[in-house]
Amino acid sequence: MSDLPGIVITGASGRMGQMLMKTVLASDKARLVGAVERPGHDWIGRDAGAAMGGAAVGVTVTDDPLEAFAQAQAVIDFTAPAATTHFAELAAQARAVHVIGTTGLGPADLDRLEWAAHHAVIVRAGNMSLGVNLLVQLTKKVAAALDADWDIEVVEAHHRMKVDAPSGTALMLGAAAAEGRGTTLDHARVSGRDGITGARARGSIGFSAIRGGDIVGEHDVIFATEGERITLRHIATDRAIFARGALKAALWGQDKRPGQYDMLDVLGL
Ligand SMILES: NC(=O)C1=CN([C@@H]2O[C@H](COP(=O)(O)OP(=O)(O)OC[C@H]3O[C@@H](n4cnc5c(N)ncnc54)[C@H](O)[C@@H]3O)[C@@H](O)[C@H]2O)C=CC1
Ligand SMILES: O=C(O)C1=N[C@H](C(=O)O)C[C@H](O)C1
């Protein structure tokens, strides 16, 4: 039996779930030991590879996360907030590293993750790609260099199936801009303008979301002032960038102390 870290993928049939399983199966640094879907899903009981339309891989899709997590060194989870908070408690029980890509988590969800992080490693980021995490740091720097005469707007575009807005990435970028400016996003955030909104509040950070077709993920951070404008942009064309980052996080977390980490920790940025 291999001593490579064993990985469980939750939300196995999803857009990211399938990409994650393919990434782990192709890796020589980890092995796929489990695939979890929600109860009642038609993949339950099927071989994960065959369910994806390929060769059998010897991993049966299950709706019993605790049994799957008990055999794993890491759980990679791109699902939905209610599932992720439940999985955090189970991963903590199993002492497995929990890599969370799920977005749209609210304050109560984040409190539950805080509890779980007392017992196990959690790595969470609204975007696991190298490019976006670099853009986060660039955004912080640019915001720190410019005063509030420069208006900051974050514009994001995603596929028609995305259920949360603004995207997790947009919120990361907005938080970085706020930090660079010496404020918080709670204080500066303005989302979804509509109707007679009045003039823009000085120092605010605005968010706009586009949803359509199969857009993987596009983010602009716009710094606009009288007579000039700077745009920092990231365009994702392949979900493999998120899966590669998530697997890197799962391996990185193996020798870390319990607590919450993000991709800036993993990438050393
Ligand atoms: N942090 C990052 O780098 C990225 C984050 N995401 C986020 O990942 C999440 C998933 O995105 P997609 O894969 O596009 O969605 P999706 O809808 O294609 O997949 C979600 C999967 O989770 C499963 N699921 C839901 N509840 C479950 C439960 N209780 N137990 C087991 N499985 C459950 C669903 O059945 C579905 O297969 C979203 O929150 C999205 O914003 C997506 C891409 C990159
Ligand atoms: O739902 C998606 O697809 C994506 N979600 C993440 C987000 O909310 O930022 C990351 C990426 O942009 C794709």
Side-chain angles (χ1 to χ4, degrees):
M1 168 125 159
S2 159
D3 59 1
L4 294 176
I7 313 275
V8 169
I9 305 298
T10 58
S13 79
R15 279 173 289 275
M16 279 306 301
Q18 295 193 46
M19 181 58 78
L20 287 158
M21 289 201 293
K22 288 174 187 160
T23 301
V24 174
L25 288 165
S27 170
D28 59 4
K29 297 191 175 69
R31 65 202 160 95
L32 185 70
V33 296
V36 176
E37 254 302 341
R38 59 183 161 71
H41 194 280
D42 60 8
W43 279 28
I44 304 298
R46 296 181 64 192
D47 180 273
M52 286 193 288
V57 297
V59 171
T60 302
V61 181
T62 179
D63 60 3
D64 184 343
L66 187 54
E67 188 186 71
F69 294 2
Q71 301 169 51
Q73 279 68 55
V75 175
I76 305 183
D77 175 17
F78 287 59
T79 54
T84 290
T85 48
H86 178 53
F87 293 153
E89 287 159 12
L90 302 184
Q93 277 180 49
R95 300 291 187 264
V97 172
H98 189 192
V99 177
I100 301 174
T102 307
T103 57
L105 296 152
D109 301 320
L110 298 177
D111 285 348
R112 287 177 70 181
L113 299 189
E114 192 57 42
W115 175 87
H118 287 114
H119 307 280
V121 171
I122 291 180
V123 183
R124 183 175 71 87
N127 195 304
M128 302 263 169
S129 75
L130 173 60
V132 158
N133 283 278
L134 271 174
L135 192 67
V136 163
Q137 298 298 52
L138 290 173
T139 299
K140 199 188 305 177
K141 273 200 162 185
V142 175
L146 301 174
D147 66 21
D149 285 343
W150 291 75
D151 301 326
I152 304 178
E153 293 283 316
V154 183
V155 182
E156 52 104 337
H158 284 87
H159 53 94
R160 61 164 71 103
M161 301 306 290
K162 184 161 179 64
V163 296
D164 56 310
S167 68
T169 312
L171 293 170
M172 282 167 70
L173 293 165
E179 193 184 334
R181 230 176 212 183
T183 183
T184 64
L185 199 51
D186 282 348
H187 186 70
R189 173 174 170 176
V190 175
S191 297
R193 298 185 188 95
D194 190 11
I196 309 296
T197 60
R200 194 180 194 287
R202 183 179 162 84
S204 59
I205 297 177
F207 291 86
S208 310
I210 294 163
R211 294 288 176 266
D214 62 355
I215 302 169
V216 174
E218 302 185 2
H219 293 87
D220 280 6
V221 186
I222 301 167
F223 297 84
T225 192
E226 303 281 332
E228 59 181 324
R229 189 160 80 228
I230 299 165
T231 302
L232 303 181
R233 170 172 295 168
H234 182 269
I235 297 182
T237 55
D238 188 340
R239 289 186 175 83
I241 61 172
F242 312 128
R244 277 201 298 272
L247 177 56
K248 190 184 265 276
L251 299 174
W252 176 90
Q254 291 306 308
D255 59 357
K256 299 298 177 294
R257 294 165 65 83
Q260 286 214 56
Y261 302 89
D262 61 21
M263 283 306 285
L264 299 177
D265 298 313
V266 173
L267 297 167
L269 294 174

